[in-house]
Amino acid sequence: MARVLEQHPLTQGLAELLTYFQLARPGLDVLIDPDRTWELVYDRVGSDGCTAAIIPRVTFVRNDDGESAAEGEQP
């Protein structure tokens, strides 16, 4: 997610950040690793200053067949 936010900085604050965790569409998996975190500092919306959030590592993975990574795992 760090690369995504570098290319597309937050403009709507926390609400916008949370939408990244909810992305769902065929051909895109969102993998969240709660054991690895990083601090994100972003400009406040509507007031001066910055806000910091500790978020889990998020990786966006494209898959060509539309099958999610979890569905493709074999027992």
Side-chain angles (χ1 to χ4, degrees), residues 6-26:
E6 285 174 7
Q7 295 176 8
H8 307 281
L10 296 177
T11 59
Q12 301 299 311
L14 182 60
E16 183 179 4
L17 175 62
L18 292 176
T19 61
Y20 282 109
F21 291 96
Q22 300 175 0
L23 289 177
R25 61 189 243 196

Side-chain angles (χ1 to χ4, degrees), residues 9-44:
L10 296 177
T11 59
Q12 301 299 311
L14 182 60
E16 183 179 4
L17 175 62
L18 292 176
T19 61
Y20 282 109
F21 291 96
Q22 300 175 0
L23 289 177
R25 61 189 243 196
L28 179 69
D29 292 333
V30 180
L31 306 176
I32 299 173
D33 182 353
D35 296 325
R36 297 178 67 192
T37 61
W38 61 283
E39 182 178 38
L40 170 65
V41 178
Y42 57 93
D43 293 332
R44 291 185 182 150

